[in-house]
């Protein structure tokens, strides 16, 4: 068990942090939602009741969509684009291991089965990472829209205003403001990491070049 945990420590730590912060979001979100409800003469909700509200769905997937968009675009852009001196870029002037054609690889027992199978299966596998991230982005985008529509209509009804359809909500400035305010921050964070990794270091991290490496050296 100890060996397995060590081998999967990075994933386990991130999942644990996700669950901790997600739990905090749910508890604090339910409290804030109930405070708003009581301020308007409406009944408070339980934590489980909060999970069924449009506000929770909207808030959750509004953030998830930006994360998956960021990671999908980062995976795709780093296939074609370079940043001289950055550890986040493939090396310049030479072929990177990621560019090698798997069809020319020597088949071993440990070779992933799509590579052994070849054909369409391999073609899909070659782009499976970006495909998964884009699917998760589209799913989160859709759920953001659905939850946002419910929350928006609840607010409209409380103010005696007409409700809207899903397509109607997609046409509102509110929906796109919520999306753009998250998207811009994600790409700013990536730009800072890409640029800062040219000149700054973090000893022991694979996201950083070796501390003594020259600034102009590109890639890990």
């Amino acid at each position: 068990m100890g060996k397995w945990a060590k081998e999967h420590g990075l994933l386990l730590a991130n999942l644990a942090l996700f669950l901790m912060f997600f739990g905090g979001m749910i508890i604090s979100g339910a409290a804030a939602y109930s405070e708003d409800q009581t301020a308007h003469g409406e009944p408070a909700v339980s934590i489980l009741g909060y999970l069924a509200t449009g506000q929770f769905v909207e808030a959750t997937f509004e953030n998830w969509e930006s994360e998956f968009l960021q990671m999908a675009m980062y995976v795709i852009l780093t296939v074609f684009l370079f940043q001289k001196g950055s550890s986040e870029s493939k090396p310049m002037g030479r072929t990177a291991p990621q560019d090698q054609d798997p069809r020319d690889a020597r088949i071993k027992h440990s070779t992933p089965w799509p590579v052994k199978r070849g054909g369409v299966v391999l073609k899909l596998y070659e782009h499976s990472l970006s495909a998964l991230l884009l699917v998760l982005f589209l799913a989160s985008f859709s759920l953001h829209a659905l939850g946002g529509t419910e929350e928006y209509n609840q607010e409209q009804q409380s103010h005696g205003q007409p409700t809207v359809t899903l397509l109607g909500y997609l046409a509102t400035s509110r929906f796109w403001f919520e999306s753009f305010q998250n998207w811009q921050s994600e790409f700013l964070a990536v730009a800072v990491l890409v640029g800062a990794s040219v000149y700054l270091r973090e000893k022991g991290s694979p996201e950083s070049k070796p501390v003594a490496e020259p600034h102009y050296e590109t890639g890990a």
Side-chain angles (χ1 to χ4, degrees):
M1 183 62 183
K3 179 182 178 183
W4 184 88
K6 181 178 180 180
E7 291 176 340
H8 300 85
L10 186 58
L11 174 62
L12 293 173
N14 277 280
L15 287 175
L17 288 169
F18 161 72
L19 292 174
M20 180 176 68
F21 293 133
F22 193 49
M25 171 190 159
I26 292 172
I27 294 171
S28 58
Y33 184 82
S34 292
E35 289 174 3
D36 188 60
Q37 287 286 95
T38 55
H40 289 85
E42 299 289 338
V45 298
S46 65
I47 291 179
L48 289 178
Y50 176 65
L51 297 179
T53 64
Q55 184 186 92
F56 168 74
V57 174
E58 177 186 38
T60 299
F61 292 102
E62 171 191 337
N63 283 276
W64 288 16
E65 78 176 38
S66 63
E67 301 294 340
F68 291 129
L69 175 64
Q70 175 212 57
M71 296 309 298
M73 292 305 300
Y74 190 52
V75 168
I76 294 170
L77 290 175
T78 51
V79 174
F80 308 102
L81 303 178
F82 301 88
Q83 176 57 53
K84 183 178 180 180
S86 176
S87 62
E88 296 296 310
S89 170
K90 289 189 297 185
M92 305 180 71
R94 64 181 188 273
T95 302
Q98 297 89 342
D99 293 328
Q100 295 174 358
D101 192 335
R103 294 159 189 81
D104 299 330
R106 184 169 62 88
I107 302 299
K108 300 178 292 185
H109 177 72
S110 58
T111 300
W113 73 266
V115 180
K116 297 177 181 178
R117 180 72 179 271
V120 176
V121 173
L122 176 55
K123 191 65 177 178
L124 294 173
Y125 186 64
E126 286 180 312
H127 304 287
S128 55
L129 180 58
S130 59
L132 171 64
L133 293 170
L134 287 172
V135 167
L136 291 172
F137 162 69
L138 291 173
S140 299
F141 183 88
S142 301
L143 289 167
H144 169 203
L146 288 170
T149 301
E150 182 180 340
E151 176 66 12
Y152 183 81
N153 283 336
Q154 183 176 330
E155 293 177 5
Q156 289 289 93
Q157 289 174 336
S158 67
H159 292 89
Q161 299 295 319
T163 59
V164 298
T165 63
L166 174 61
L167 289 178
Y169 181 63
L170 288 174
T172 64
S173 57
R174 167 173 158 167
F175 174 77
W176 291 105
F177 172 71
E178 290 172 347
S179 294
F180 288 138
Q181 72 172 333
N182 284 281
W183 296 359
Q184 56 86 20
S185 64
E186 299 298 335
F187 288 101
L188 172 63
V190 170
V192 170
L193 178 60
V194 169
S197 68
V198 176
Y199 304 102
L200 305 180
R201 309 286 188 267
E202 184 60 42
K203 183 180 178 182
S205 174
E207 297 303 310
S208 168
K209 293 185 293 186
V211 176
E213 196 84 358
H215 293 329
Y216 59 77
E217 285 294 336
T218 307

